[in-house]
């Protein structure tokens, strides 16, 4: 736990409680009446964190076990569950976290340890993981049974309300609302079955007991029995299991997006969007696990190439961000003594803390693979742990909601000066820490390396960002769909003299505050010390960025049109409605990117 | 099908004196209700992480029971146990791109004060959208792939309807998107009768 952060925040009178630095890629944090509470297992028995594989009867519609994940061989005694086909991939899922180590130094990062337990005698198959709400009512099943169960579910309608048949798996984590202690977690895999329970999981396992090698079943992907077409492709059981066990342990989603890096880094296992490995034509990617007997061809959406292949294969190997995150939650001695940390505060132009900013430490020598990210806390504080000794750049960027699962991945924060929990997305230009950090850069960014040493935390590495004296504020609704959002519409222009028109279409109340509209070209194609660190391209746009007072008419609405005078074909703008802090009374707004196209 | 007109919506809204395309604000202010429940102090917070890989639009269209174009007319937060908390949206269907949907769909979106569901989309009252749905028990419709099954439709200054969503970058014309969806649906249906 970050007692230093705890003390700091408590000293500021903002909140109290159990605190850590991380949201994205780290421990989940929830806001509870003025407290920010991290979720983690804190009551792990001496033998390890118990988990149980559901070895329910074949054909059970409610809670099938793991037998049908392969070619339905005899039921093994529950004490040999890890020898069941499919179960080995699950076991690899948690062992990946047990064995999490720094890939460069070999430092073991965590003390987390699992203990497999047999399915209880006479266990009620109705209990483990009920996700169909109406089933809850119909069967009166208990929601929680104290067993951390991994199940394999059919039919796909099990996932009704949670994505339906598109969901390949799901993890449910129950935590104490006051302490954040995780009390139970369950994982369900979607059978993805359509014809007779045929699964479309991909795995390769050696069963020494039966001296057999199991692979997942095959199907004709192109033609033949239409009901045998696994239009979802294949899902890699091990990769999905590693990702789900990350959630099981309390980790949220990571925003470190390796695949957007110039030469293609690797996304963390806990990256927010599941990736599908590419394939072309009938050839699976080289590292794909062999599927039972079949070539694979699939007609894919021509406009969206490189999808429909092996889902989740890349998730099987933990990346630096994953290793650091699990170490921060359950630190080993080696994590504490051999790894380092950087801490500081994200500050705006008025030196107020900026919460919800994504701060990433980027290894100077291996920027593609050595990246660790966190979100700043309510007071703007951040602490990035689990850094192997060496030089790092420190980058802060605004969260792009479009890269998050919309709605629920951005945590709620404690609103400054109150105990209210609000949903915040600060908006500002990407910035790097440098030795002249007091100077806010608007053109070429510079970055100074920070040297991290083993067992030490470099403090005071504050990041000052421009534009963040303004915050986009949305009320935290009980459900994302209840969140308040005022309809700012951005209308792309057309014709020889294009413009963008911004209309505030819902009535707003400024509450006596000064508010602005700002239109900022997206910063990208950015060189830092000569190195390309952002990929998308943009150019300086004459007349932008522009900030205009937000003047409301008598009806509480506003409209403004800004011409675009240069000849470029496309522009991407970030449009913000802003209110000056510290009074976050204006509840706005949508942040939209608009592409202005010339005919 | 004339996708730029909403005859059902116009019929529905006309008595209220509301302009179709400016209706969202007025609707948003009063249509959100919460089903009253006995007050209980929650002791836990439940998070659900559905793992939903991005799939091609043709796959989503293939798996969807209904693909409907319409508008969110009402929303209710329904409480209950922490696994049944959800939002119910009244979705007025103007056109069915796949399946024969009823005029008003009841769309179930999991989540609530004690249930955080990663990937649940934001849909506000008044929002025009295209939804890909799958059937749920009780007559509700679930969103296929959660956010992946939602395409918001907005109108630009040139009068064109534009769509945004997983497979529709900002600025995509509604007509183009509908054409892609219908192509995917046709392919799916031809496979079924093969």
């Amino acid at each position: 736990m970050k007692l230093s952060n705890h003390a700091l925040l408590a000293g500021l009178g903002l909140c109290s409680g159990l605190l850590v630095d991380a949201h994205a890629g780290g421990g989940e944090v929830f806001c509870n009446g003025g407290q920010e509470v991290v979720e983690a297992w804190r009551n792990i028995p001496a033998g390890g964190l118990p988990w149980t594989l559901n070895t329910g009867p074949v054909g059970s519609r409610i809670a099938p076990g793991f037998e049908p994940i392969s070619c339905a061989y005899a039921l093994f005694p529950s004490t040999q569950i890890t020898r069941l086909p499919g179960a080995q991939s699950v076991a690899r899922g948690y062992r990946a976290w047990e064995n999490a180590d720094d890939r460069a130094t070999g430092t073991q990062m965590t003390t987390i340890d699992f203990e497999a337990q047999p399915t209880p005698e006479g266990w009620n198959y109705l209990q483990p993981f009920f996700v169909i709400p109406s089933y809850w009512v119909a069967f009166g099943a208990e929601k929680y049974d104290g067993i951390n169960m991994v199940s394999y579910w059919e039919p796909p309608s099990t996932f009704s309300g949670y994505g339906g048949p598109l969901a390949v798996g799901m993890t449910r984590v129950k935590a104490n609302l006051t302490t954040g202690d995780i009390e139970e977690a369950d994982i369900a895999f979607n059978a993805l079955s359509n014809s007779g329970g045929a699964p479309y999981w991909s795995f390769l396992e050696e069963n020494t007991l039966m001296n057999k090698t199991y692979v997942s079943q095959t199907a004709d992907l192109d033609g033949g029995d239409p009901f045998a077409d696994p239009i979802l492709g294949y899902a890699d059981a091990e990769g999905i299991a590693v990702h789900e066990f990350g959630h099981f342990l309390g980790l949220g989603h990571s925003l470190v997006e390796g695949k957007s890096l110039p030469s293609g880094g690797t996304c963390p296992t806990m990256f927010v969007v599941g990736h599908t490995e590419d394939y072309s034509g009938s050839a699976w990617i080289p590292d794909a696990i062999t599927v039972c007997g079949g070539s694979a061809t699939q007609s894919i959406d021509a406009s969206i190439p490189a999808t429909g292949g092996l889902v989740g294969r890349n998730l099987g190997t933990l990346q630096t961000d994953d290793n650091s995150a699990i170490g921060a939650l359950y630190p080993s001695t080696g994590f504490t003594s051999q790894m380092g940390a950087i801490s500081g505060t994200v500050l705006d132009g008025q030196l107020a803390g900026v919460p919800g900013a994504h701060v990433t430490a980027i290894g100077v020598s291996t920027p593609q693979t050595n990246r660790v990210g966190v979100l700043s806390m309510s007071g703007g504080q951040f602490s990035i742990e689990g850094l192997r000794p060496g030089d790092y750049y420190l980058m802060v960027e605004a969260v792009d909601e479009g890269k998050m699962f919309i709605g629920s991945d951005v945590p709620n924060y404690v609103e400054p000066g109150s105990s209210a929990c609000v949903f915040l997305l600060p908006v500002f230009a990407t910035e790097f820490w440098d030795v002249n950090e007091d100077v806010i850069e608007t053109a070429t960014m510079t970055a100074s390396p920070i040297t991290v040493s083993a067992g030490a935390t470099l403090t005071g590495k504050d990041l000052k960002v421009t534009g963040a004296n303004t915050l986009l504020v949305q009320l935290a609704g009980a459900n994302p769909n209840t969140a308040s959002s005022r309809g700012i519409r951005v209308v792309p222009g057309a014709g020889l003299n294009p413009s963008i028109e911004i209309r505030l279409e819902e009535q707003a109340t400024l509450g006596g505050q000064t508010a602005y509209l700002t239109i900022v070209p997206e910063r990208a194609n950015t060189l830092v010390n000569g190195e390309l660190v952002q990929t998308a391209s943009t150019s300086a746009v004459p007349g932008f960025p522009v900030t205009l007072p937000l003047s409301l008419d008598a009806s509480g609405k506003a409209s403004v049109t800004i011409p675009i005078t240069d000849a470029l074909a496309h522009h991407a703008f970030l449009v913000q409605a802003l209110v000056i802090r510290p009074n976050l009374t204006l509840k706005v707004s949508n942040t939209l990117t608009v592409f202005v196209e010339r005919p | 099908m004339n996708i730029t007109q909403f005859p059902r919506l116009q019929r529905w809204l006309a008595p209220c004196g509301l302009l179709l395309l400016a209706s969202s604000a007025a609707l948003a202010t009063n249509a959100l209700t919460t089903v009253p429940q006995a007050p209980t102090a929650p002791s836990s917070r439940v998070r659900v992480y559905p793992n939903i890989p991005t799939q091609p639009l043709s796959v989503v269209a293939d798996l969807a029971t209904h693909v409907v174009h319409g508008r969110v007319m009402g929303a209710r937060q329904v409480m209950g146990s922490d696994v049944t908390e959800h939002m119910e949206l009244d979705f007025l269907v103007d056109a069915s791109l796949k399946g024969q949907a009823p005029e008003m769909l009841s769309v179930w979106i999991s989540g609530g004060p004690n249930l955080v569901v990663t990937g649940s989309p934001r849909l506000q009252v008044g929002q025009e959208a295209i939804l890909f749905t799958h059937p749920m028990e009780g007559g509700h419709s679930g969103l296929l792939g959660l956010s992946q099954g939602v395409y918001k439709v907005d109108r630009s200054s040139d009068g064109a309807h534009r769509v945004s969503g997983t497979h529709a970058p900002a600025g995509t014309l509604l007509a183009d998107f509908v054409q892609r969806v219908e192509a995917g649906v046709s392919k799916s249906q031809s496979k079924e009768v093969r």
Side-chain angles (χ1 to χ4, degrees):
Chain A
M1 295 300 97
K2 309 297 181 297
L3 295 179
S4 57
N5 269 1
H6 181 188
L8 179 56
L9 281 179
L12 292 173
L14 294 176
C15 59
S16 60
L18 299 166
L19 294 173
V20 293
D21 48 359
H23 298 280
E28 286 282 16
V29 177
F30 62 84
C31 177
N32 182 19
Q35 299 184 60
E36 289 170 320
V37 185
V38 64
E39 299 175 11
W41 293 90
R42 296 191 179 85
N43 300 302
I44 300 176
L49 181 56
W51 76 284
T52 298
L53 190 72
N54 178 7
T55 54
V58 176
S60 168
R61 180 170 181 265
I62 304 301
F66 263 75
E67 299 88 354
I69 199 171
S70 74
C71 303
Y73 288 93
L75 178 66
F76 290 96
S78 58
T79 53
Q80 298 171 335
I81 54 175
T82 56
R83 298 187 178 195
L84 288 173
Q88 292 178 36
S89 296
V90 174
R92 290 180 193 140
Y94 73 81
R95 285 173 185 153
W97 294 103
E98 287 182 334
N99 299 326
D101 60 5
D102 178 62
R103 299 171 70 182
T105 65
T107 302
Q108 178 69 30
M109 303 292 264
T110 178
T111 58
I112 198 71
D113 190 22
F114 285 82
E115 182 182 24
Q117 296 183 340
T119 304
E121 190 74 23
W123 183 64
N124 182 353
Y125 294 109
L126 297 181
Q127 289 184 345
F129 195 104
F130 262 78
V131 290
I132 305 176
S134 58
Y135 277 17
W136 280 103
V137 177
F139 290 94
E142 296 178 13
K143 292 178 292 185
Y144 307 106
D145 54 11
I147 299 173
N148 305 314
M149 185 64 68
V150 178
S151 299
Y152 177 72
W153 282 85
E154 63 178 357
S157 60
T158 301
F159 293 79
S160 287
Y162 296 97
L166 278 184
V168 297
M170 183 158 56
T171 299
R172 183 184 68 183
V173 179
K174 173 174 174 281
N176 183 289
L177 194 54
T178 303
T179 65
D181 294 356
I182 297 177
E183 298 171 340
E184 182 174 336
D186 301 294
I187 296 174
F189 293 89
N190 193 339
L192 299 180
S193 60
N194 45 29
S195 178
Y200 299 115
W201 288 94
S202 174
F203 58 85
L204 176 62
E205 298 179 351
E206 299 290 336
N207 189 308
T208 56
L209 187 66
M210 294 190 68
N211 194 28
K212 287 180 180 295
T213 297
Y214 293 107
V215 294
S216 58
Q217 287 185 335
T218 186
D220 179 4
L221 294 177
D222 188 20
D225 179 4
F227 295 102
D229 284 356
I231 56 177
L232 291 172
Y234 288 88
D236 180 66
E238 180 179 348
I240 299 297
V242 177
H243 182 92
E244 298 307 324
F245 269 106
H247 291 316
F248 186 107
L249 291 168
L251 297 183
H253 283 132
S254 171
L255 293 181
V256 174
E257 188 180 9
K259 284 199 170 182
S260 67
L261 301 178
S263 58
T266 303
C267 285
T269 290
M270 298 311 295
F271 188 67
V272 65
V273 176
H275 284 284
T276 302
E277 294 291 352
D278 304 346
Y279 71 93
S280 59
S282 61
W284 290 87
I285 56 174
D287 63 343
I289 293 176
T290 303
V291 294
C292 274
S295 61
T297 60
Q298 184 177 359
S299 175
I300 61 175
D301 186 332
S303 66
I304 310 293
T307 57
L310 186 61
V311 174
R313 178 58 183 153
N314 64 309
L315 304 179
T317 302
L318 298 182
Q319 302 300 321
T320 304
D321 188 61
D322 305 309
N323 291 323
S324 297
I326 198 64
L329 273 188
Y330 311 97
S332 67
T333 301
F335 180 90
T336 306
S337 63
Q338 298 179 42
M339 311 304 283
I342 301 173
S343 68
T345 305
V346 181
L347 299 168
D348 63 20
Q350 299 177 345
L351 300 183
V354 179
H358 190 227
V359 185
T360 307
I362 304 169
V364 172
S365 60
T366 53
Q368 313 303 333
T369 57
N370 188 14
R371 293 192 171 210
V372 181
V374 299
L375 292 182
S376 59
M377 299 291 285
S378 286
Q381 300 91 338
F382 67 89
S383 180
I384 305 177
E385 297 181 85
L387 301 174
R388 75 180 65 120
D391 289 345
Y392 289 83
Y393 292 129
L394 195 60
M395 179 179 74
V396 59
E397 58 187 341
V399 171
D400 179 356
E401 191 181 14
K403 291 182 180 178
M404 308 285 282
F405 274 151
I406 298 172
S408 302
D409 260 9
V410 178
N412 295 335
Y413 287 88
V414 179
E415 187 170 15
S418 79
S419 61
C421 299
V422 295
F423 171 81
L424 297 174
L425 273 182
V427 178
F428 50 85
T430 300
E431 177 65 29
F432 284 76
W433 183 89
D434 62 45
V435 293
N436 298 313
E437 189 57 29
D438 286 342
V439 178
I440 294 177
E441 301 146 328
T442 55
T444 302
M445 287 191 291
T446 59
S448 301
I450 299 171
T451 302
V452 171
S453 302
T457 298
L458 292 169
T459 60
K461 299 303 180 186
D462 297 344
L463 289 153
K464 298 183 180 65
V465 296
T466 179
N469 59 332
T470 53
L471 284 175
L472 293 181
V473 181
Q474 290 182 308
L475 286 175
N479 181 290
N481 300 287
T482 68
S484 173
S485 178
R486 303 295 182 248
I488 289 184
R489 304 294 176 88
V490 183
V491 183
L496 296 178
N497 297 296
S499 62
I500 57 174
E501 179 187 2
I502 302 160
R503 294 186 302 215
L504 186 62
E505 295 192 341
E506 295 182 21
Q507 188 174 19
T509 302
L510 297 183
Q513 302 299 309
T514 303
Y516 297 93
L517 279 174
T518 68
I519 303 95
V520 183
E522 278 196 336
R523 179 187 288 200
N525 207 23
T526 303
L527 292 175
V528 176
N529 294 353
E531 179 187 3
L532 185 66
V533 296
Q534 300 284 92
T535 50
S537 63
T538 188
S539 301
V541 183
F544 292 91
V546 61
T547 299
L548 304 169
L550 180 59
S551 301
L552 304 182
D553 60 23
S555 64
K557 299 180 181 179
S559 177
V560 61
T561 300
I562 302 104
I564 298 172
T565 58
D566 72 338
L568 295 180
H570 297 82
H571 289 304
F573 293 101
L574 199 61
V575 182
Q576 313 154 18
L578 309 165
V579 61
I580 298 297
R581 291 185 69 185
N583 300 309
L584 302 175
T585 53
L586 177 61
K587 307 303 182 185
V588 295
S589 66
N590 292 326
T591 303
L592 301 173
T593 300
V594 59
F595 292 85
V596 179
E597 300 183 15
R598 289 180 179 274
Chain B
M1 179 187 61
N2 185 348
I3 58 173
T4 61
Q5 296 179 349
F6 288 80
R8 289 184 188 173
L9 283 172
Q10 288 170 339
R11 286 201 310 272
W12 196 87
L13 293 172
C16 305
L18 297 175
L19 292 176
L20 172 64
L21 295 171
S23 61
S24 60
L27 290 168
T29 57
N30 57 16
L32 184 65
T33 60
T34 299
V35 176
Q37 300 287 326
T40 55
S43 60
S44 62
R45 170 73 55 90
V46 175
R47 294 183 192 272
V48 175
Y49 304 89
N51 191 324
I52 306 172
T54 302
Q55 297 292 343
L57 180 62
S58 57
V59 170
V60 182
D62 193 10
L63 288 176
T65 305
H66 291 122
V67 182
V68 291
H69 182 194
R71 188 179 294 266
V72 179
M73 305 304 292
R76 294 170 300 283
Q77 175 68 58
V78 180
M79 305 300 289
S81 73
D82 53 21
V83 293
T84 60
E85 289 178 354
H86 66 282
M87 181 74 73
E88 283 182 13
L89 303 181
D90 299 324
F91 191 80
L92 183 63
V93 177
D94 185 70
S96 291
L97 306 180
K98 181 180 182 183
Q100 289 300 317
E103 187 165 355
M104 189 72 79
L105 271 185
S106 175
V107 179
W108 176 300
I109 301 181
S110 298
N114 305 305
L115 175 63
V116 178
V117 181
T118 296
S120 276
R122 296 171 186 272
L123 268 176
Q124 295 180 313
V125 175
Q127 176 69 55
E128 183 182 340
I130 292 175
L131 304 182
F132 294 71
T133 71
H134 66 91
M136 296 180 65
E137 297 192 11
H140 299 290
S141 293
L143 292 173
L144 191 61
L146 296 181
S147 298
Q148 204 174 144
V150 176
Y151 288 83
K152 295 182 179 178
V153 180
D154 292 290
R155 189 174 183 181
S156 56
S157 61
D158 59 3
H161 286 78
R162 298 182 186 272
V163 184
S164 60
T166 302
H167 293 300
T172 300
L173 286 172
L174 174 62
D176 294 343
F177 181 74
V178 168
Q179 192 173 32
R180 289 170 57 198
V181 173
E182 291 179 333
V185 170
S186 299
K187 177 184 172 185
S188 168
Q189 291 172 338
S190 65
K191 187 170 64 175
E192 289 174 3
V193 300
R194 190 167 50 190

